[in-house]
Amino acid sequence: MIKRSILTILIFLFTINVFGQSDEVQKLFEPTETDSLYILAIKNFTKQIDNLRNNRNSTDTNPKVIYIQYENYLKRVPNKINGYQILKLGLGNRKEYFRKNKNRLTLVEISPLTLKDGLFSITLIPYGAKLKGKFKMNLTYSSWNTTYFKYINGKLVMDKYESGGI
């Protein structure tokens, strides 16, 4: 019985080592072109945040963290962009991060890639979020940030960036 367990463990470790070095497995975790568009939209958003911090001449000691509402199309977005830690909140971990922030934080919703009037776009909407109980969350809307892309020579390239609010 012990020999069988040891053999099973050795086979398991060998397969992890072999597949872990495979180019095909590594490609599964690399961002695709669409993922790169989301990364660019988030980079534009972080620049906007930095500009606001600089204009306020703030000595903001808050860590550079962006909480995004997790969606399947965001699974390959890296955990760090432009010096900001990106935390994806879903039902499994949302409560933990709200507790750490006294049940209030800025939750960013990222739209799926959209096509309208010949331009592709991704919109980021930061909400002031307050968790109330297990299943209730109050959201306060104040602004939006949209990155637009044009299809040029077989690739999507950034065309413009807009932001606004109420």
Side-chain angles (χ1 to χ4, degrees):
M1 182 71 176
I2 293 175
K3 287 182 182 180
R4 183 178 236 170
S5 298
I6 291 172
L7 182 61
T8 304
I9 290 171
L10 287 175
I11 292 171
F12 178 73
L13 291 174
F14 176 75
T15 56
I16 287 175
N17 190 29
V18 169
F19 288 118
Q21 295 177 3
S22 168
D23 288 338
E24 291 176 15
V25 173
Q26 294 242 338
K27 286 180 184 178
L28 289 174
F29 297 104
E30 290 178 11
T32 63
E33 181 181 5
T34 304
D35 297 324
S36 298
L37 298 177
Y38 287 107
I39 293 168
L40 183 57
I42 294 170
K43 281 182 181 180
N44 287 335
F45 180 68
T46 62
K47 289 177 188 174
Q48 182 81 11
I49 294 171
D50 286 340
N51 286 340
L52 286 173
R53 284 183 176 191
N54 292 337
N55 288 341
R56 291 182 185 159
N57 293 326
S58 73
T59 55
D60 195 358
T61 57
N62 288 335
K64 291 183 164 188
V65 177
I66 297 175
Y67 299 97
I68 63 173
Q69 178 65 41
Y70 178 77
E71 299 293 341
N72 282 336
Y73 52 85
L74 301 173
K75 66 183 169 192
R76 289 192 184 124
V77 169
N79 296 331
K80 205 159 202 152
I81 297 176
N82 270 3
Y84 283 82
Q85 182 180 4
I86 307 298
L87 294 172
K88 300 168 191 160
L89 300 188
L91 291 177
N93 66 350
R94 180 172 70 183
K95 194 173 184 180
E96 169 191 350
Y97 289 105
F98 270 96
R99 273 193 191 144
K100 287 180 181 178
N101 292 285
K102 299 177 184 174
N103 284 338
R104 293 177 185 261
L105 54 80
T106 301
L107 183 62
V108 179
E109 181 182 317
I110 302 176
S111 74
L113 185 63
T114 308
L115 174 63
K116 184 177 179 185
D117 299 329
L119 289 176
F120 291 86
S121 66
I122 296 173
T123 301
L124 283 80
I125 303 172
Y127 290 97
K130 183 177 180 183
L131 193 62
K132 297 185 114 185
K134 276 188 173 182
F135 301 105
K136 188 175 180 185
M137 184 181 347
N138 288 348
L139 298 174
T140 306
Y141 168 79
S142 63
S143 64
W144 51 267
N145 302 274
T146 303
T147 304
Y148 293 93
F149 304 92
K150 275 187 178 177
Y151 191 72
I152 300 174
N153 296 329
K155 290 190 173 196
L156 288 170
V157 294
M158 189 175 125
D159 181 53
K160 61 184 176 178
Y161 177 77
E162 294 179 345
S163 62
I166 54 173

